[in-house]
Amino acid sequence: MSKSKASGCKGAYGQKRKEGEGRSCVRYKCSLLNSILDVLRQRPGWVEVKEDGEWDFNWCDVGWLRENFDNSYMEEHVRICHFRNHYELTRKNLMVKNLKRYRKTLEREAGRLEAAKCDFFPRTFELPSEYHLFVEEFKRSPGSTWIMKPVARSQGKGIFLFRKLKDIMEWKKDGTRSEEQRDEAQVESYVAQRYIENPYLINGRKFDLRVYVLVMSYLPLKAWLYRDGFARFSNTRFSLSSIDDQYVHLTNVAVQKTAPDYDPEKGCKWQMQRLRRYLTAKHGSETVEALFKDIDNIFIRSLLSVQKVIINDKHCFELYGYDILLDQDLKPWLIEVNASPSLTASSQEDYEMKYRLLEDTLNIVNMEGRLTGREKRVGGYDLMWNDGPVYREDVSLETLGSTYQMANTHLGCVNDRKKQLRQLLKPVPGQKKA
């Protein structure tokens, strides 16, 4: 985007800048009205531009991206918060298709043991196109529970559980769609997925994890993992006797907050640190380390599965919201990946966590040129993958005569980000150090 006279930035990008030189003014555009807007407005030297103003940074929704990306000329420094075909990972049917293909490739090239590392998503079929394959699988395990999800909706909309084929007869053929579904152009198809019938319960309640992964590039793959996140609990005790009760089976906050006995003060979230402490007290640190290593594996494998199909563009980055479910054997399952994880807070604690997450995301995007590019930690983010695994510098265990290196990930661990950022960030030119 070229220089804007009306932006309030003086000499921001009119002249060519040397690589890595700091920027004292960033013109931003934001289409969301929640915590990201608060973070952008309070960032020193960042100036908001209106509809037709030229911008350097755009936190847009995926609808804007679809309509405008291909028609926009972007200068070198410009950044935008989605990859063009992010849906290869974030649409439920495409995510599974890419994972299945990746698993087949691994089996062919590296053997079954390596391919088995991708066995972290439930059996899934796209309807109506894979209806007959689904029926074959359905008949192999009579009486089991399946979950039906529209491929491109969020917040639990359109999801239901079923145990009988007659409940999904209308998905046999495209022509039997209801008018509402035909009007909803994006919801072309559904996925039928094996329901995890043995979820790990805390106080009798089901929960899933929301974890944040920031991808700065796919070629080479460069991904960061945020230390904070949360567990989202259902409001009602878990039971398979009622498969029609959404408050039992769906952990989405958008669903849970409509429950008659929902308490907004209490909410239905635990911060990730609290969950990690709980699991460690109950199962021991070794078991929990193994669990979190398995969760790391989900992030890496899922990103590698789309690495060759995502259109890599130097202007793009993406903050993904991963939804992970634990079963009672402490096996993590990938439920879905969100391109637009909710940035609307459900409590003060939730707001503060999301604020820190977004601040650190902007620190890594590095519009001000304050980072060297060699950092392995920025605030609450740890560099997880940089064209290969990234290991902790401070930990190296000797086991059976060989050195075992630990991944540079700290999900649910202490987040002393303020102290770390003070040491890390150079002041922006013309500004005092925060």
Side-chain angles (χ1 to χ4, degrees), residues 251-273:
T251 55
N252 311 63
V253 175
V255 171
Q256 290 298 327
K257 69 182 182 188
T258 64
D261 55 346
Y262 176 73
D263 178 357
E265 288 300 306
K266 214 169 86 187
C268 48
K269 289 182 179 177
W270 275 16
Q271 292 299 315
M272 193 65 77
Q273 280 88 344

Side-chain angles (χ1 to χ4, degrees), residues 1-5 9-15 27 54 75:
M1 295 287 157
S2 56
K3 189 179 170 188
S4 163
K5 289 172 186 167
C9 284
K10 292 178 183 168
Y13 287 112
Q15 315 83 25
R27 301 160 301 175
E54 298 288 357
E75 289 180 18

Side-chain angles (χ1 to χ4, degrees), residues 198-202 207 278-279 282-283 326-328 330:
N198 63 334
Y200 188 98
L201 305 178
I202 294 180
F207 64 93
Y278 174 91
L279 292 173
K282 200 158 183 208
H283 302 282
L326 308 183
D327 69 19
Q328 62 192 21
L330 282 183

Side-chain angles (χ1 to χ4, degrees), residues 223-334:
W224 299 76
L225 176 63
Y226 205 63
R227 294 184 173 199
D228 294 347
F230 47 86
R232 302 178 296 190
F233 284 83
S234 62
N235 212 38
T236 311
R237 291 174 76 83
F238 182 78
S239 161
L240 280 171
S241 59
S242 167
I243 61 169
D244 298 326
D245 189 340
Q246 289 203 316
Y247 301 128
V248 172
H249 300 287
L250 302 186
T251 55
N252 311 63
V253 175
V255 171
Q256 290 298 327
K257 69 182 182 188
T258 64
D261 55 346
Y262 176 73
D263 178 357
E265 288 300 306
K266 214 169 86 187
C268 48
K269 289 182 179 177
W270 275 16
Q271 292 299 315
M272 193 65 77
Q273 280 88 344
R274 182 180 175 186
L275 179 74
R276 187 162 185 151
R277 283 197 305 271
Y278 174 91
L279 292 173
T280 303
K282 200 158 183 208
H283 302 282
S285 56
E286 210 172 295
T287 301
V288 172
E289 278 292 338
L291 164 64
F292 278 78
K293 195 178 167 195
D294 288 343
I295 294 174
D296 288 349
N297 174 64
I298 291 178
F299 304 139
I300 298 303
R301 301 281 174 178
S302 58
L303 294 173
L304 289 173
S305 78
V306 296
Q307 186 183 21
K308 289 178 179 170
V309 291
I310 295 270
I311 301 164
N312 191 61
D313 188 302
K314 65 185 174 195
H315 300 104
C316 303
F317 68 93
E318 191 126 28
L319 176 63
Y320 294 108
Y322 272 75
D323 292 347
I324 308 278
L325 182 75
L326 308 183
D327 69 19
Q328 62 192 21
D329 302 320
L330 282 183
K331 173 180 167 68
W333 295 88
L334 175 59

